[in-house]
Protein backbone atom coordinates (compact mmCIF):
# COMPACT_ATOMS: atom_id res chain seq x y z
CA UNK A 1 0.00 0.00 0.00
CA UNK A 2 1.36 3.40 -1.01
CA UNK A 3 1.83 6.04 1.69
CA UNK A 4 -0.91 8.21 0.24
CA UNK A 5 -3.33 5.28 0.35
CA UNK A 6 -2.52 4.69 4.01
CA UNK A 7 -3.08 8.39 4.68
CA UNK A 8 -6.45 8.34 2.92
CA UNK A 9 -7.55 5.18 4.70
CA UNK A 10 -6.60 6.72 8.02
CA UNK A 11 -8.43 10.00 7.51
CA UNK A 12 -11.49 8.16 6.18
CA UNK A 13 -11.55 5.72 9.04
CA UNK A 14 -11.53 8.47 11.63
CA UNK A 15 -13.97 10.56 9.60
CA UNK A 16 -16.34 7.60 9.71
CA UNK A 17 -15.87 7.55 13.48
CA UNK A 18 -17.06 11.09 13.98
CA UNK A 19 -13.78 12.99 13.46
CA UNK A 20 -13.44 16.17 11.44
CA UNK A 21 -10.50 16.20 9.04
CA UNK A 22 -8.46 19.37 9.64
CA UNK A 23 -5.61 20.61 7.41
CA UNK A 24 -1.94 20.11 8.23
CA UNK A 25 -0.47 23.21 9.83
CA UNK A 26 2.65 24.60 8.11
CA UNK A 27 5.99 23.13 9.17
CA UNK A 28 6.97 26.50 10.58
CA UNK A 29 4.75 27.23 13.57
CA UNK A 30 2.79 30.43 13.03
CA UNK A 31 3.60 33.14 15.54
CA UNK A 32 5.59 30.93 17.81
CA UNK A 33 9.26 31.86 17.60
CA UNK A 34 10.11 29.56 20.52
CA UNK A 35 9.97 26.34 18.47
CA UNK A 36 11.81 25.89 15.20
CA UNK A 37 9.44 23.50 13.46
CA UNK A 38 6.32 21.50 14.18
CA UNK A 39 7.62 18.25 15.59
CA UNK A 40 4.32 16.51 16.29
CA UNK A 41 0.71 16.62 15.20
CA UNK A 42 -0.38 17.88 18.61
CA UNK A 43 1.76 21.00 18.50
CA UNK A 44 -0.67 23.25 16.60
CA UNK A 45 -3.47 21.94 18.83
CA UNK A 46 -2.02 22.87 22.22
CA UNK A 47 -4.62 25.58 23.06
CA UNK A 48 -7.42 23.05 22.45
CA UNK A 49 -5.76 20.34 24.52
CA UNK A 50 -5.65 22.93 27.29
CA UNK A 51 -9.40 23.41 27.07
CA UNK A 52 -10.19 25.99 24.45
CA UNK A 53 -13.09 25.01 22.17
CA UNK A 54 -11.99 23.91 18.71
CA UNK A 55 -14.32 25.22 16.00
CA UNK A 56 -14.49 21.76 14.40
CA UNK A 57 -15.56 19.99 17.57
CA UNK A 58 -14.08 17.45 19.97
CA UNK A 59 -12.93 14.74 17.51
CA UNK A 60 -10.26 15.71 15.01
CA UNK A 61 -7.96 13.95 12.59
CA UNK A 62 -5.23 15.16 10.22
CA UNK A 63 -1.91 14.52 8.62
CA UNK A 64 0.80 16.79 9.97
CA UNK A 65 4.08 17.64 8.29
CA UNK A 66 6.84 17.41 10.92
CA UNK A 67 10.57 18.09 11.16
CA UNK A 68 12.70 16.69 13.96
CA UNK A 69 16.05 18.39 13.86
CA UNK A 70 17.75 16.40 16.59
CA UNK A 71 17.91 13.49 14.17
CA UNK A 72 19.88 15.24 11.41
CA UNK A 73 23.13 13.48 12.25
CA UNK A 74 21.46 10.08 12.14
CA UNK A 75 20.07 10.55 8.64
CA UNK A 76 21.64 8.11 6.24
CA UNK A 77 21.11 5.08 8.44
CA UNK A 78 18.18 2.80 7.70
CA UNK A 79 15.48 4.63 9.64
CA UNK A 80 16.01 8.26 10.63
CA UNK A 81 14.33 11.05 8.72
CA UNK A 82 14.25 14.77 9.46
CA UNK A 83 10.99 15.39 7.60
CA UNK A 84 8.18 12.93 8.15
CA UNK A 85 4.45 12.83 8.15
CA UNK A 86 2.46 12.05 11.26
CA UNK A 87 -1.11 10.86 11.00
CA UNK A 88 -3.08 11.78 14.08
CA UNK A 89 -6.46 11.63 15.72
CA UNK A 90 -7.54 13.61 18.76
CA UNK A 91 -10.20 13.51 21.38
CA UNK A 92 -10.55 16.92 23.02
CA UNK A 93 -12.29 15.88 26.22
CA UNK A 94 -14.39 13.37 24.23
CA UNK A 95 -13.47 9.65 24.21
CA UNK A 96 -10.59 8.37 26.34
CA UNK A 97 -8.53 5.19 26.68
CA UNK A 98 -11.03 2.50 25.75
CA UNK A 99 -12.43 3.95 22.56
CA UNK A 100 -9.05 5.20 21.43
CA UNK A 101 -7.43 1.77 21.79
CA UNK A 102 -10.34 -0.01 20.14
CA UNK A 103 -10.18 2.29 17.14
CA UNK A 104 -6.40 1.92 16.80
CA UNK A 105 -6.68 -1.85 16.97
CA UNK A 106 -9.49 -1.96 14.44
CA UNK A 107 -7.68 0.38 12.07
CA UNK A 108 -4.48 -1.67 12.17
CA UNK A 109 -6.07 -5.09 11.90
CA UNK A 110 -9.08 -4.41 9.66
CA UNK A 111 -8.13 -1.43 7.51
CA UNK A 112 -4.41 -2.11 7.17
CA UNK A 113 -4.94 -5.85 7.62
CA UNK A 114 -2.00 -6.31 9.93
CA UNK A 115 -2.42 -9.71 11.63
CA UNK A 116 -3.11 -9.13 15.33
CA UNK A 117 -0.42 -11.72 16.19
CA UNK A 118 2.20 -9.36 14.83
CA UNK A 119 1.26 -6.56 17.23
CA UNK A 120 2.84 -5.93 20.62
CA UNK A 121 2.00 -3.01 22.86
CA UNK A 122 3.56 -1.14 25.74
CA UNK A 123 1.81 0.58 28.65
CA UNK A 124 3.01 2.96 31.35
CA UNK A 125 4.90 1.07 34.04
CA UNK A 126 4.46 3.57 36.91
CA UNK A 127 6.74 6.04 38.68
CA UNK A 128 6.83 8.13 41.86
CA UNK A 129 3.97 10.31 40.60
CA UNK A 130 1.60 7.81 38.98
CA UNK A 131 0.79 4.11 39.30
CA UNK A 132 1.26 1.45 36.66
CA UNK A 133 -1.44 1.74 33.96
CA UNK A 134 -3.25 -1.58 34.46
CA UNK A 135 -6.42 -0.10 33.02
CA UNK A 136 -4.86 0.35 29.59
CA UNK A 137 -3.38 -3.14 29.68
CA UNK A 138 -6.83 -4.58 30.49
CA UNK A 139 -8.37 -2.74 27.56
CA UNK A 140 -5.71 -4.19 25.24
CA UNK A 141 -6.32 -7.64 26.62
CA UNK A 142 -10.07 -7.35 26.05
CA UNK A 143 -9.43 -6.06 22.56
CA UNK A 144 -7.34 -9.03 21.52
CA UNK A 145 -3.69 -8.67 22.55
CA UNK A 146 -2.64 -11.43 24.96
CA UNK A 147 -0.81 -10.55 28.20
CA UNK A 148 2.51 -11.86 26.97
CA UNK A 149 2.59 -9.22 24.27
CA UNK A 150 1.69 -6.36 26.64
CA UNK A 151 4.78 -4.77 28.17
CA UNK A 152 5.03 -2.18 30.94
CA UNK A 153 7.68 0.48 30.49
CA UNK A 154 8.50 3.36 32.81
CA UNK A 155 9.11 5.80 30.01
CA UNK A 156 5.69 5.43 28.37
CA UNK A 157 5.05 9.04 29.01
CA UNK A 158 4.81 11.82 26.45
CA UNK A 159 5.39 15.55 26.57
CA UNK A 160 6.63 18.03 23.96
CA UNK A 161 9.49 19.86 25.67
CA UNK A 162 9.79 20.53 29.39
CA UNK A 163 6.38 21.85 30.41
CA UNK A 164 2.89 21.61 28.92
CA UNK A 165 0.11 19.12 28.32
CA UNK A 166 1.22 15.53 28.82
CA UNK A 167 0.25 12.09 30.00
CA UNK A 168 0.96 8.39 29.95
CA UNK A 169 0.94 6.67 26.60
CA UNK A 170 0.52 3.29 25.03
CA UNK A 171 2.63 2.40 22.00
CA UNK A 172 1.99 -0.13 19.28
CA UNK A 173 4.79 -2.15 17.73
CA UNK A 174 4.94 -4.37 14.71
CA UNK A 175 6.98 -7.54 14.99
CA UNK A 176 9.13 -7.73 11.84
CA UNK A 177 9.53 -11.47 12.27
CA UNK A 178 13.28 -11.20 12.91
CA UNK A 179 14.52 -13.51 15.67
CA UNK A 180 14.75 -12.14 19.22
CA UNK A 181 18.22 -10.71 19.81
CA UNK A 182 18.31 -12.10 23.37
CA UNK A 183 16.01 -13.58 26.00
CA UNK A 184 15.01 -10.15 27.26
CA UNK A 185 14.26 -8.82 23.76
CA UNK A 186 11.09 -6.71 23.93
CA UNK A 187 9.66 -3.64 22.15
CA UNK A 188 12.03 -1.41 24.14
CA UNK A 189 14.99 -3.07 22.47
CA UNK A 190 16.35 -1.40 19.34
CA UNK A 191 17.67 -4.54 17.64
CA UNK A 192 15.05 -3.99 14.93
CA UNK A 193 12.72 -6.88 15.73
CA UNK A 194 9.98 -4.55 16.97
CA UNK A 195 9.24 -1.30 15.17
CA UNK A 196 7.08 1.34 16.82
CA UNK A 197 4.23 2.47 14.60
CA UNK A 198 1.69 4.34 16.70
CA UNK A 199 1.62 6.22 19.96
CA UNK A 200 -1.60 7.04 21.83
CA UNK A 201 -1.05 9.63 24.53
CA UNK A 202 -3.65 10.06 27.24
CA UNK A 203 -3.19 13.75 27.82
CA UNK A 204 -4.79 14.59 31.10
CA UNK A 205 -2.07 16.58 32.89
CA UNK A 206 -0.18 19.82 32.61
CA UNK A 207 3.43 19.62 33.72
CA UNK A 208 4.48 22.77 35.55
CA UNK A 209 7.96 24.25 35.62
CA UNK A 210 8.52 22.87 39.14
CA UNK A 211 7.87 19.33 37.89
CA UNK A 212 4.44 18.94 39.47
CA UNK A 213 1.39 17.80 37.52
CA UNK A 214 -1.95 19.58 37.43
CA UNK A 215 -5.08 18.02 35.96
CA UNK A 216 -6.08 19.58 32.65
CA UNK A 217 -9.64 20.86 32.31
CA UNK A 218 -10.41 17.79 30.20
CA UNK A 219 -9.03 14.35 29.42
CA UNK A 220 -7.66 14.25 25.88
CA UNK A 221 -6.27 11.65 23.55
CA UNK A 222 -3.42 12.57 21.20
CA UNK A 223 -2.23 9.90 18.81
CA UNK A 224 0.53 9.89 16.22
CA UNK A 225 1.33 7.30 13.57
CA UNK A 226 4.53 7.62 11.55
CA UNK A 227 3.43 7.36 7.93
CA UNK A 228 6.69 6.54 6.17
CA UNK A 229 7.49 3.87 8.73
CA UNK A 230 4.11 2.15 8.40
CA UNK A 231 4.32 2.32 4.60
CA UNK A 232 7.77 0.73 4.77
CA UNK A 233 6.55 -2.12 6.98
CA UNK A 234 3.39 -2.77 4.98
CA UNK A 235 5.44 -2.88 1.80
CA UNK A 236 7.85 -5.30 3.42
CA UNK A 237 10.79 -2.93 2.89
CA UNK A 238 13.86 -2.58 5.06
CA UNK A 239 14.16 1.22 4.97
CA UNK A 240 11.96 4.21 4.16
CA UNK A 241 14.22 4.86 1.17
CA UNK A 242 12.75 1.76 -0.45
CA UNK A 243 9.20 3.13 -0.60
CA UNK A 244 7.68 4.98 -3.55
CA UNK A 245 8.32 8.40 -1.96
CA UNK A 246 12.09 7.99 -2.24
CA UNK A 247 12.64 5.39 -4.95
CA UNK A 248 12.62 7.69 -8.02
CA UNK A 249 15.26 10.04 -6.55
CA UNK A 250 17.33 7.16 -5.16
CA UNK A 251 17.36 5.48 -8.58
CA UNK A 252 18.25 8.70 -10.34
CA UNK A 253 21.14 9.22 -7.90
CA UNK A 254 22.41 5.72 -8.61
CA UNK A 255 22.54 6.59 -12.28
CA UNK A 256 24.30 9.91 -11.73
CA UNK A 257 26.88 8.83 -9.19
CA UNK A 258 30.45 7.94 -10.04
CA UNK A 259 31.13 6.66 -6.55
CA UNK A 260 28.70 4.17 -5.01
CA UNK A 261 27.78 4.95 -1.41
CA UNK A 262 24.31 4.18 -0.08
CA UNK A 263 24.67 6.34 3.04
CA UNK A 264 25.35 9.47 0.96
CA UNK A 265 22.56 8.65 -1.48
CA UNK A 266 20.09 8.48 1.38
CA UNK A 267 21.33 11.75 2.85
CA UNK A 268 20.89 13.49 -0.49
CA UNK A 269 17.38 12.10 -1.03
CA UNK A 270 16.28 12.85 2.52
CA UNK A 271 17.69 16.36 2.72
CA UNK A 272 16.32 17.22 -0.70
CA UNK A 273 12.80 16.29 0.38
CA UNK A 274 13.10 18.14 3.72
CA UNK A 275 14.50 21.26 2.06
CA UNK A 276 11.70 21.27 -0.50
CA UNK A 277 9.07 20.96 2.23
CA UNK A 278 10.61 23.65 4.46
CA UNK A 279 10.97 26.14 1.60
CA UNK A 280 7.42 25.39 0.48
CA UNK A 281 6.23 26.44 3.94
CA UNK A 282 8.15 29.70 3.81
CA UNK A 283 11.60 28.77 5.22
CA UNK A 284 14.69 30.43 3.75
CA UNK A 285 18.38 29.66 4.39
CA UNK A 286 20.14 31.92 6.88
CA UNK A 287 22.67 31.70 9.70
CA UNK A 288 20.22 31.52 12.58
CA UNK A 289 17.72 29.01 13.93
CA UNK A 290 15.30 27.68 11.29
CA UNK A 291 17.22 29.25 8.47
CA UNK A 292 20.38 27.57 9.66
CA UNK A 293 18.71 24.16 9.76
CA UNK A 294 17.64 24.62 6.16
CA UNK A 295 21.08 25.90 5.16
CA UNK A 296 22.63 22.89 6.84
CA UNK A 297 20.32 20.47 5.03
CA UNK A 298 21.05 21.97 1.62
CA UNK A 299 24.79 22.21 2.21
CA UNK A 300 25.06 18.71 3.57
CA UNK A 301 23.19 17.43 0.53
CA UNK A 302 25.64 19.20 -1.76
CA UNK A 303 28.65 17.90 0.14
CA UNK A 304 27.34 14.39 -0.40
CA UNK A 305 26.67 15.05 -4.08
CA UNK A 306 30.32 16.04 -4.31
CA UNK A 307 31.30 12.90 -2.47
CA UNK A 308 29.46 10.75 -5.01
CA UNK A 309 30.95 12.93 -7.76
CA UNK A 310 27.55 13.90 -9.04
CA UNK A 311 27.67 16.97 -11.26
CA UNK A 312 26.04 19.80 -9.29
CA UNK A 313 24.37 21.02 -12.47
CA UNK A 314 22.06 18.04 -12.03
CA UNK A 315 20.55 19.55 -8.90
CA UNK A 316 17.82 21.43 -10.81
CA UNK A 317 16.67 18.19 -12.45
CA UNK A 318 16.70 16.37 -9.13
CA UNK A 319 14.48 19.07 -7.62
CA UNK A 320 12.05 18.79 -10.56
CA UNK A 321 11.93 15.04 -10.21
CA UNK A 322 11.37 15.11 -6.46
CA UNK A 323 8.63 17.76 -6.61
CA UNK A 324 6.94 15.66 -9.26
CA UNK A 325 6.90 12.70 -6.90
CA UNK A 326 5.96 14.65 -3.78
CA UNK A 327 3.15 16.69 -5.23
CA UNK A 328 0.81 13.72 -5.22
CA UNK A 329 0.92 13.98 -1.44
CA UNK A 330 1.51 17.72 -1.16
CA UNK A 331 -0.29 19.40 -4.07
CA UNK A 332 0.75 22.83 -2.75
CA UNK A 333 4.25 22.14 -4.13
CA UNK A 334 3.20 22.59 -7.75
CA UNK A 335 2.61 26.32 -7.47
CA UNK A 336 5.81 26.86 -5.52
CA UNK A 337 8.12 24.84 -7.73
CA UNK A 338 10.04 27.75 -9.24
CA UNK A 339 10.57 29.46 -5.89
CA UNK A 340 11.77 26.25 -4.28
CA UNK A 341 14.14 25.64 -7.13
CA UNK A 342 15.64 29.11 -7.11
CA UNK A 343 16.13 29.11 -3.33
CA UNK A 344 17.99 25.77 -3.42
CA UNK A 345 20.06 26.64 -6.49
CA UNK A 346 21.04 30.04 -5.10
CA UNK A 347 22.15 28.41 -1.87
CA UNK A 348 24.13 25.88 -3.89
CA UNK A 349 25.98 28.66 -5.72
CA UNK A 350 26.85 30.37 -2.46
CA UNK A 351 28.03 27.12 -0.97
CA UNK A 352 30.23 26.22 -3.91
CA UNK A 353 32.13 29.48 -3.39
CA UNK A 354 32.35 28.84 0.33
CA UNK A 355 33.60 25.32 -0.20
CA UNK A 356 36.46 26.48 -2.38
CA UNK A 357 37.61 29.14 0.12
CA UNK A 358 36.97 26.97 3.13
CA UNK A 359 38.76 23.94 1.76
CA UNK A 360 41.83 26.06 1.08
CA UNK A 361 41.71 27.41 4.64
CA UNK A 362 41.14 23.94 6.04
CA UNK A 363 44.19 22.66 4.19
CA UNK A 364 46.31 25.38 5.86
CA UNK A 365 44.99 24.46 9.29
CA UNK A 366 45.57 20.79 8.61
CA UNK A 367 49.17 21.53 7.76
CA UNK A 368 49.64 23.45 10.99
CA UNK A 369 48.22 20.57 13.00
CA UNK A 370 50.33 17.96 11.27
CA UNK A 371 53.46 20.06 11.72
CA UNK A 372 52.81 20.44 15.42
CA UNK A 373 52.22 16.70 15.83
CA UNK A 374 48.66 17.14 17.13
CA UNK A 375 45.59 15.28 15.89
CA UNK A 376 42.75 17.56 16.89
CA UNK A 377 41.35 20.69 15.31
CA UNK A 378 40.54 23.20 18.04
CA UNK A 379 36.97 24.46 18.44
CA UNK A 380 38.07 28.00 17.79
CA UNK A 381 39.46 27.02 14.39
CA UNK A 382 36.20 25.21 13.57
CA UNK A 383 34.41 28.37 14.59
CA UNK A 384 36.69 30.59 12.51
CA UNK A 385 36.02 28.39 9.48
CA UNK A 386 32.33 28.74 10.19
CA UNK A 387 32.23 32.42 11.02
CA UNK A 388 34.70 33.83 8.50
CA UNK A 389 34.35 31.35 5.64
CA UNK A 390 30.78 30.18 6.24
CA UNK A 391 32.11 26.65 6.55
CA UNK A 392 29.54 24.48 8.39
CA UNK A 393 31.03 22.49 11.31
CA UNK A 394 29.64 19.24 9.99
CA UNK A 395 31.57 19.78 6.76
CA UNK A 396 34.71 20.48 8.79
CA UNK A 397 33.97 17.31 10.71
CA UNK A 398 33.61 15.26 7.51
CA UNK A 399 36.88 16.69 6.18
CA UNK A 400 38.62 16.05 9.48
CA UNK A 401 37.51 12.43 9.48
CA UNK A 402 38.69 12.03 5.90
CA UNK A 403 42.09 13.38 6.96
CA UNK A 404 42.38 11.27 10.09
CA UNK A 405 42.04 14.04 12.67
CA UNK A 406 39.43 14.86 15.32
CA UNK A 407 37.66 18.13 15.95
CA UNK A 408 36.63 19.76 19.19
CA UNK A 409 32.92 20.15 18.61
CA UNK A 410 32.11 20.93 22.25
CA UNK A 411 34.24 24.03 22.19
CA UNK A 412 32.74 24.96 18.83
CA UNK A 413 29.22 24.60 20.24
CA UNK A 414 30.11 26.85 23.14
CA UNK A 415 31.45 29.53 20.82
CA UNK A 416 28.47 29.13 18.50
CA UNK A 417 26.06 29.62 21.39
CA UNK A 418 27.84 32.79 22.45
CA UNK A 419 27.63 33.99 18.85
CA UNK A 420 23.88 33.30 18.73
CA UNK A 421 23.33 35.19 21.96
CA UNK A 422 25.25 38.14 20.60
CA UNK A 423 23.32 38.25 17.36
CA UNK A 424 20.01 38.02 19.23
CA UNK A 425 20.99 40.94 21.46
CA UNK A 426 22.24 42.72 18.37
CA UNK A 427 18.96 42.38 16.55
CA UNK A 428 16.88 43.50 19.50
CA UNK A 429 19.19 46.49 19.91
CA UNK A 430 18.84 47.20 16.24
CA UNK A 431 15.13 47.23 16.77
CA UNK A 432 15.32 49.56 19.74
CA UNK A 433 17.68 51.89 17.93
CA UNK A 434 15.38 51.98 14.95
CA UNK A 435 12.30 52.82 16.94
CA UNK A 436 12.82 56.56 16.87
CA UNK A 437 12.75 56.57 13.11
CA UNK A 438 11.39 53.52 11.33
CA UNK A 439 10.00 51.45 14.16
CA UNK A 440 7.63 54.02 15.56
CA UNK A 441 4.62 52.93 13.54
CA UNK A 442 5.25 49.24 14.21
CA UNK A 443 5.32 49.98 17.92
CA UNK A 444 1.98 51.75 17.66
CA UNK A 445 0.52 48.82 15.76
CA UNK A 446 1.75 46.45 18.47
CA UNK A 447 -0.26 48.34 21.04
CA UNK A 448 -3.25 48.66 18.71
CA UNK A 449 -3.18 44.85 18.37
CA UNK A 450 -3.68 44.46 22.11
CA UNK A 451 -6.55 46.95 22.07
CA UNK A 452 -8.18 45.19 19.12
CA UNK A 453 -7.86 41.81 20.83
CA UNK A 454 -9.58 43.23 23.92
CA UNK A 455 -12.29 44.99 21.92
CA UNK A 456 -13.12 41.84 19.94
CA UNK A 457 -13.56 39.93 23.21
CA UNK A 458 -16.04 42.53 24.40
CA UNK A 459 -17.96 42.70 21.14
CA UNK A 460 -17.90 39.05 20.02
CA UNK A 461 -17.33 37.13 23.25
CA UNK A 462 -14.63 35.58 25.38
CA UNK A 463 -13.99 32.79 22.87
CA UNK A 464 -11.92 35.25 20.87
CA UNK A 465 -8.21 34.55 21.11
CA UNK A 466 -5.30 35.70 19.03
CA UNK A 467 -4.30 33.18 16.39
CA UNK A 468 -1.70 35.27 14.66
CA UNK A 469 -0.58 38.75 13.85
CA UNK A 470 1.60 40.48 11.35
CA UNK A 471 2.69 44.08 11.51
CA UNK A 472 4.36 46.43 9.05
CA UNK A 473 4.77 50.17 9.41
CA UNK A 474 1.72 50.62 7.22
CA UNK A 475 -0.88 48.27 8.62
CA UNK A 476 -1.66 45.50 11.07
CA UNK A 477 -3.14 42.11 10.43
CA UNK A 478 -4.77 40.20 13.24
CA UNK A 479 -6.08 36.61 13.17
CA UNK A 480 -8.45 35.45 15.86
CA UNK A 481 -10.71 32.54 16.71
CA UNK A 482 -14.28 33.23 15.69
CA UNK A 483 -16.70 31.25 13.54
CA UNK A 484 -18.67 33.69 11.46
CA UNK A 485 -18.23 36.79 9.37
CA UNK A 486 -18.46 39.94 11.47
CA UNK A 487 -21.50 42.14 10.80
CA UNK A 488 -21.04 45.84 10.02
CA UNK A 489 -22.44 46.63 13.42
CA UNK A 490 -19.87 44.42 15.13
CA UNK A 491 -17.07 46.02 13.14
CA UNK A 492 -18.28 49.53 13.99
CA UNK A 493 -18.57 48.69 17.66
CA UNK A 494 -15.04 47.25 17.67
CA UNK A 495 -13.62 50.34 15.99
CA UNK A 496 -15.50 52.62 18.38
CA UNK A 497 -14.19 50.79 21.43
CA UNK A 498 -10.57 50.91 20.28
CA UNK A 499 -10.87 54.62 19.43
CA UNK A 500 -12.54 55.32 22.78
CA UNK A 501 -9.60 53.71 24.61
CA UNK A 502 -7.14 55.65 22.46
CA UNK A 503 -8.89 58.93 23.36
CA UNK A 504 -8.95 58.07 27.06
CA UNK A 505 -5.15 58.20 27.10
CA UNK A 506 -4.53 55.04 29.11
CA UNK A 507 -1.05 54.28 30.39
CA UNK A 508 0.63 51.14 28.97
CA UNK A 509 2.55 49.43 31.77
CA UNK A 510 5.37 46.96 31.27
CA UNK A 511 5.68 44.38 34.07
CA UNK A 512 7.81 41.33 34.64
CA UNK A 513 6.49 38.50 36.75
CA UNK A 514 6.44 34.79 37.28
CA UNK A 515 4.47 32.95 34.62
CA UNK A 516 2.07 31.42 37.17
CA UNK A 517 1.33 34.87 38.52
CA UNK A 518 0.59 36.22 35.04
CA UNK A 519 -1.72 33.28 34.35
CA UNK A 520 -3.49 33.80 37.68
CA UNK A 521 -4.02 37.43 36.78
CA UNK A 522 -5.70 36.23 33.58
CA UNK A 523 -2.98 37.29 31.16
CA UNK A 524 -3.52 36.29 27.54
CA UNK A 525 -0.83 34.47 25.58
CA UNK A 526 -0.84 32.47 22.42
CA UNK A 527 1.32 29.61 23.63
CA UNK A 528 1.62 29.98 27.36
CA UNK A 529 3.58 26.78 27.85
CA UNK A 530 6.35 27.97 25.57
CA UNK A 531 7.45 30.83 27.80
CA UNK A 532 10.13 30.66 30.47
CA UNK A 533 9.50 31.16 34.17
CA UNK A 534 9.66 34.94 34.15
CA UNK A 535 7.52 36.60 31.55
CA UNK A 536 7.16 40.10 30.20
CA UNK A 537 3.58 41.37 30.51
CA UNK A 538 1.93 44.48 29.07
CA UNK A 539 -1.01 45.94 30.97
CA UNK A 540 -3.28 48.58 29.49
CA UNK A 541 -5.48 49.83 32.37
CA UNK A 542 -8.19 47.29 33.08
CA UNK A 543 -8.63 46.65 29.40
CA UNK A 544 -5.85 44.34 28.41
CA UNK A 545 -3.25 42.11 29.98
CA UNK A 546 -1.02 40.09 27.65
CA UNK A 547 2.21 38.17 27.88
CA UNK A 548 4.25 39.84 25.16
CA UNK A 549 7.79 40.85 24.35
CA UNK A 550 6.73 44.31 23.14
CA UNK A 551 7.68 46.98 22.23
CA UNK A 552 4.70 49.20 22.99
CA UNK A 553 3.90 52.90 23.21
CA UNK A 554 3.70 54.44 26.68
CA UNK A 555 0.19 55.77 26.40
CA UNK A 556 -2.72 54.81 24.14
CA UNK A 557 -3.17 58.47 23.16
CA UNK A 558 -0.12 58.13 20.89
CA UNK A 559 -1.94 55.87 18.44
CA UNK A 560 -4.09 58.20 16.30
CA UNK A 561 -7.34 56.97 14.73
CA UNK A 562 -7.96 53.23 14.37
CA UNK A 563 -9.76 51.93 11.29
CA UNK A 564 -10.71 48.39 10.17
CA UNK A 565 -10.04 48.05 6.44
CA UNK A 566 -11.07 44.46 5.93
CA UNK A 567 -12.53 41.48 7.76
CA UNK A 568 -12.27 38.09 6.12
CA UNK A 569 -11.82 34.38 6.72
CA UNK A 570 -8.26 33.24 7.39
CA UNK A 571 -8.80 29.51 7.85
CA UNK A 572 -11.46 27.31 9.35
CA UNK A 573 -12.73 28.98 12.55
CA UNK A 574 -10.24 31.82 12.24
CA UNK A 575 -11.07 35.33 11.02
CA UNK A 576 -8.61 37.97 9.89
CA UNK A 577 -8.79 41.73 10.34
CA UNK A 578 -6.64 44.20 8.46
CA UNK A 579 -6.57 47.60 10.09
CA UNK A 580 -4.67 50.87 9.96
CA UNK A 581 -3.88 53.79 12.23
CA UNK A 582 -4.52 57.17 10.63
N1 LIG B 1 2.36 13.46 20.40
C1 LIG B 1 2.66 12.06 20.32
C2 LIG B 1 3.91 11.79 19.51
O1 LIG B 1 4.44 12.69 18.90
C3 LIG B 1 1.49 11.34 19.73
O2 LIG B 1 1.02 11.99 18.61
O3 LIG B 1 4.36 10.69 19.49
Amino acid sequence: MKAIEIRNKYLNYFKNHGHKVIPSAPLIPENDPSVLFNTAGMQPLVPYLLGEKHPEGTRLTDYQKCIRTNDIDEVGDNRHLTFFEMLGNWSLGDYFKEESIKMSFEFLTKELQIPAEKLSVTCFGGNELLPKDEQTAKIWENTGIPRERIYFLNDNWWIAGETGPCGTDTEMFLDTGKPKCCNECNPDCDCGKYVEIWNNVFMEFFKNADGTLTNLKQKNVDTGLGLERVAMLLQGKETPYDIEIFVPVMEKLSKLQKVDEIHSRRIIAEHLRSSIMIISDGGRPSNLDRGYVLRRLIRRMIRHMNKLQINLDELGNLIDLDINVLREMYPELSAKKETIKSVILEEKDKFVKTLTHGEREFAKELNKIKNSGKDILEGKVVFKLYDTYGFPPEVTKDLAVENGIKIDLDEFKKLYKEHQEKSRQGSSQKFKGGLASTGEMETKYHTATHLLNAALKQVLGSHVHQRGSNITDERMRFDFSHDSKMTDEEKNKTEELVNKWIKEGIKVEHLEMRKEEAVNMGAEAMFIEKYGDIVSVYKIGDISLEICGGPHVENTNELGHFKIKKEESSSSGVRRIKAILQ
Side-chain angles (χ1 to χ4, degrees), residues 29-32 34 43-47 525-531:
E30 286 164 317
N31 304 293
D32 186 0
S34 63
Q43 224 150 2
L45 295 172
V46 168
M526 289 230 317
F527 288 105
I528 186 78
E529 74 285 359
K530 297 294 179 211
Y531 292 94

Side-chain angles (χ1 to χ4, degrees), residues 127-230:
N127 63 13
E128 61 289 356
L129 293 175
L130 294 168
K132 183 172 170 183
D133 190 1
E134 274 292 352
Q135 191 197 358
T136 296
K138 263 253 113 30
I139 298 171
W140 276 119
E141 227 179 337
N142 293 339
T143 311
I145 304 281
R147 265 282 151 166
E148 60 271 22
R149 295 209 309 274
I150 301 176
Y151 298 81
F152 286 95
L153 300 177
N154 290 347
D155 58 2
N156 272 36
W157 172 265
W158 204 90
I159 185 166
E162 298 296 319
T163 59
C166 54
T168 60
D169 65 24
T170 181
E171 296 177 10
M172 286 147 260
F173 291 77
L174 195 69
D175 185 342
T176 56
K178 291 182 187 155
K180 285 190 173 211
C181 66
C182 60
N183 274 344
E184 291 76 43
C185 186
N186 69 38
D188 202 23
C189 175
D190 58 10
C191 69
K193 177 172 176 60
Y194 300 98
V195 184
E196 186 202 329
I197 49 177
W198 205 345
N199 182 11
N200 293 11
V201 187
F202 305 120
M203 270 187 179
E204 51 181 322
F205 304 111
F206 187 94
K207 186 169 176 204
N208 305 298
D210 62 6
T212 55
L213 300 177
T214 318
N215 285 326
L216 289 177
K217 281 194 201 138
Q218 63 197 31
K219 290 186 174 191
N220 309 290
V221 177
D222 152 44
T223 93
L225 175 144
L227 179 62
E228 291 82 353
R229 205 179 268 185
V230 171

Side-chain angles (χ1 to χ4, degrees), residues 281-319:
D281 278 351
R284 294 293 177 269
S286 77
N287 270 345
L288 271 181
D289 300 334
R290 290 174 187 135
Y292 187 62
V293 173
L294 176 59
R295 168 156 286 169
R296 211 180 142 184
L297 288 167
I298 299 177
R299 295 188 165 193
R300 193 154 180 252
M301 164 177 83
I302 291 166
R303 261 288 290 168
H304 286 273
M305 285 179 73
N306 280 342
K307 222 167 149 186
L308 301 189
Q309 297 179 21
I310 295 174
N311 186 340
L312 294 184
D313 292 340
E314 290 290 342
L315 187 53
N317 293 334
L318 281 169
I319 300 169

Side-chain angles (χ1 to χ4, degrees), residues 478-494:
F478 184 71
D479 294 350
F480 58 101
S481 44
H482 183 56
D483 268 342
S484 47
K485 189 170 174 55
M486 284 175 77
T487 62
D488 287 344
E489 196 193 334
E490 286 167 342
K491 281 190 270 185
N492 287 341
K493 266 198 191 153
T494 307

